[in-house]
Amino acid sequence: MNSRINFVAAAFSLTALAYGLARFAYGLFLPQIREALAISVTVAGWIGGSAFAAYCLGISFVLLAPGKLSARTIALLAGGTATFGMLLVALSASAWVLAAGIALAGLSTGLTSPPLAFAVSRQFGDENRPKANATINAGTAAGIVFSGMAAWLASDAWREIYFAFVLAGAAVTAWLWFAFPRGLHAASASPVSLAVLKRPGLFTLCVSAFFMGISSAAIWTFGADILRDKAGFTSAYIALIWVALGISGLAGALTGMLTNRVGIRPIHVFSLLGMAVATAGLAMTSLSAAYGFIAVSLFGAAYIVSTGVYLIQGTGLLADRPDLGLGIPFLAVATGQAVGNPLFGALLASTGLMNALLAFAATACIAAFIRLSPEQLRGRAAIP
């Protein structure tokens, strides 16, 4: 196999592991976990938020570290922390152990993306770089499909499923050992200057990403819980909906092509409005199961495309530092998700489902209509 293709495949699998399994599977299995460990929806929100807070710590470490670790070492560390975090989840007998496992799993996602973006920037030219990045980013959707199929096949055996995820994590980490190119020094080897944060267009991009992150927390963490408790869906049916979410999210692999052909602004707006419609539409699931499939599928496609657009804009604005171009907007998304998880849990408990979903849908609309700067709109030209 071509070494670059082998790397993209391994990087796709690491993304699937860290994001699709280690981080986002928590929301899928939350109904069973809450029942087994007797935790409230508010506590569940704080635990979910810990994954995104740990992501912020992980990505900050990679971006601010003195550069003594190579990109390959950081990628292997990401696979290892994802695997060990999921092992703690499988063994958890209390909310504290569960929180530690979910946080460690979240830490792995912060370690995942920067070294992959850096390796792509060194191995691919301008023409193929957006396609490689978008393909790797779509690994999240593949991981979601995998977790959904596992939940459908194994019903409520969430501990056994997490043990299977641990085995998958070990296999992916071993694959990375051979597939990740050696000799690539992490981009963080050069000091991060605060002047980078003043790059035109970066602030508005991060504000938009922050609001997008808040909005996404509603479905990622509480979607399965809402479908079971408010709409009466069985665990098997929720698993199939999760598979639909992941399959639709594979559309994210087309993000690079879409922005090249249509432009960044339309894709940016429509993906975020799609998230808003999906979030609000989840409240209609009690009327018909079809609304659940439509809302969650729309969310999956819109979320993955949206993150791909932030990635392309960020690396376009910081073409000289692709690790920061990816890391800073994704850090803003994760910060929003860390805030959004406990916030949605509190709103759900105090104001009810409809008000909580509408508030978070409105947040996605705010993210959509934050005005892009000319530099961001020229990101398409910066990355053909």
Side-chain angles (χ1 to χ4, degrees), residues 317-359:
L317 290 173
L318 298 171
D320 54 324
R321 288 296 304 268
D323 59 326
L324 294 178
L326 178 148
I328 292 174
F330 275 30
L331 178 60
V333 170
T335 303
Q337 289 167 328
V339 171
N341 270 275
L343 179 60
F344 187 85
L347 282 176
L348 185 62
S350 62
T351 67
L353 177 63
M354 181 65 75
N355 289 333
L357 288 175
L358 289 178

Side-chain angles (χ1 to χ4, degrees), residues 95-177:
W96 289 107
V97 177
L98 175 66
I102 294 298
L104 193 58
L107 179 67
S108 73
T109 55
L111 301 174
T112 293
S113 297
L116 298 184
F118 178 68
V120 166
S121 73
R122 292 295 183 269
Q123 294 194 99
F124 294 88
D126 287 345
E127 182 177 354
N128 293 317
R129 194 175 299 139
K131 298 174 186 177
N133 276 325
T135 299
I136 292 170
N137 190 55
T140 299
I144 292 166
V145 171
F146 183 84
S147 63
M149 289 299 298
W152 180 66
L153 292 172
S155 186
D156 293 335
W158 64 273
R159 291 188 188 275
E160 290 79 0
I161 292 173
Y162 265 97
F163 278 122
F165 290 172
V166 169
L167 295 178
V172 170
T173 305
W175 184 6
L176 281 168
W177 178 271

Side-chain angles (χ1 to χ4, degrees), residues 23 49 51-57 59-60 206 209-217 327-343:
R23 191 161 91 176
F52 300 105
Y55 172 94
C56 297
L57 292 176
I59 203 166
S60 297
C206 290
F210 174 76
F211 282 109
M212 178 273 210
I214 290 177
S215 176
S216 70
I328 292 174
F330 275 30
L331 178 60
V333 170
T335 303
Q337 289 167 328
V339 171
N341 270 275
L343 179 60

Side-chain angles (χ1 to χ4, degrees), residues 46-295:
W46 281 106
I47 293 174
S50 72
F52 300 105
Y55 172 94
C56 297
L57 292 176
I59 203 166
S60 297
F61 167 77
V62 174
L63 298 181
L64 299 176
K68 295 181 179 179
L69 299 179
S70 69
R72 180 173 178 271
T73 300
I74 295 172
L76 291 171
L77 186 60
T81 54
T83 302
F84 187 65
M86 292 187 295
L87 179 61
L88 285 180
V89 173
L91 296 173
S92 61
S94 69
W96 289 107
V97 177
L98 175 66
I102 294 298
L104 193 58
L107 179 67
S108 73
T109 55
L111 301 174
T112 293
S113 297
L116 298 184
F118 178 68
V120 166
S121 73
R122 292 295 183 269
Q123 294 194 99
F124 294 88
D126 287 345
E127 182 177 354
N128 293 317
R129 194 175 299 139
K131 298 174 186 177
N133 276 325
T135 299
I136 292 170
N137 190 55
T140 299
I144 292 166
V145 171
F146 183 84
S147 63
M149 289 299 298
W152 180 66
L153 292 172
S155 186
D156 293 335
W158 64 273
R159 291 188 188 275
E160 290 79 0
I161 292 173
Y162 265 97
F163 278 122
F165 290 172
V166 169
L167 295 178
V172 170
T173 305
W175 184 6
L176 281 168
W177 178 271
F178 297 101
F180 203 103
R182 299 172 185 268
L184 293 180
H185 294 289
S188 57
S190 56
V192 177
S193 171
L194 293 179
V196 170
L197 302 179
K198 299 179 182 179
R199 195 73 59 92
L202 187 60
F203 177 75
T204 55
L205 180 67
C206 290
V207 172
S208 175
F210 174 76
F211 282 109
M212 178 273 210
I214 290 177
S215 176
S216 70
I219 289 181
W220 276 134
T221 300
F222 295 97
D225 217 37
I226 291 169
L227 291 174
R228 189 181 80 159
D229 291 350
K230 307 298 183 182
F233 284 19
T234 64
S235 296
Y237 207 71
I238 291 171
L240 290 177
I241 291 180
W242 208 256
V243 171
L245 186 159
I247 291 174
S248 64
L250 291 173
L254 303 176
T255 306
M257 182 189 70
L258 291 173
T259 55
N260 282 345
R261 294 188 177 183
V262 181
I264 288 179
R265 177 64 179 172
I267 302 303
H268 175 86
V269 171
F270 283 121
S271 61
L272 287 164
L273 291 182
M275 286 179 58
V277 171
T279 302
L282 193 63
M284 304 292 291
T285 303
S286 59
L287 301 179
S288 171
Y291 287 116
F293 272 102
I294 293 171

